[in-house]
Amino acid sequence: MERIPILKMGKFLLVTIQVDMHDRLAMTLQDDLTNRIVRDRASGVLIDISALDVVDSFIGRMISNTAAMARVLDADTVLVGMRPAVAITLVELGLTLDGVKTALNVERGMALLTRDFDRLIG
């Protein structure tokens, strides 16, 4: 079964989606990610979608739902690498991605997660 790797980087998890997402893979990623948040006690999740050319309504809802699940598990979610065409599609579909922060790239996304974590414990 195909899986998307989830890397642990300190107190955060990094997911880089390098393949075209289909519904089954998206659901597997959601299960794997929520389990890893609990297992690794992650305080943040960074999802890199820079390799995705297209995001349909199901994938958009899956990202939003995954962020909501992460929030319930006490982890923030930052989505990075969104292409303009993907942003346009999400807006046209009416998907607001509530609870999902965005950044242009992985470096800025990690800085956002770190800043929010430091503010929380500081």
Side-chain angles (χ1 to χ4, degrees), residues 39-83:
R39 187 181 89 199
D40 295 337
R41 297 183 181 136
S43 62
V45 175
L46 190 137
I47 302 174
D48 180 4
I49 62 167
S50 58
L52 294 183
D53 293 325
V54 177
V55 172
D56 63 17
S57 61
F58 179 80
I59 301 302
R61 280 192 314 274
M62 185 278 308
I63 291 169
S64 184
N65 290 342
T66 301
M69 291 173 194
R71 207 168 34 256
V72 169
L73 297 171
D74 199 26
D76 289 329
T77 301
V78 176
L79 188 66
V80 302
M82 187 179 305
R83 295 177 183 221

Side-chain angles (χ1 to χ4, degrees), residues 12 101 109-121:
F12 307 125
K101 297 174 185 169
M110 288 302 263
L112 184 59
L113 282 174
T114 301
R115 185 188 71 215
D116 289 348
F117 181 78
D118 290 345
R119 188 179 315 142
L120 179 67
I121 64 169

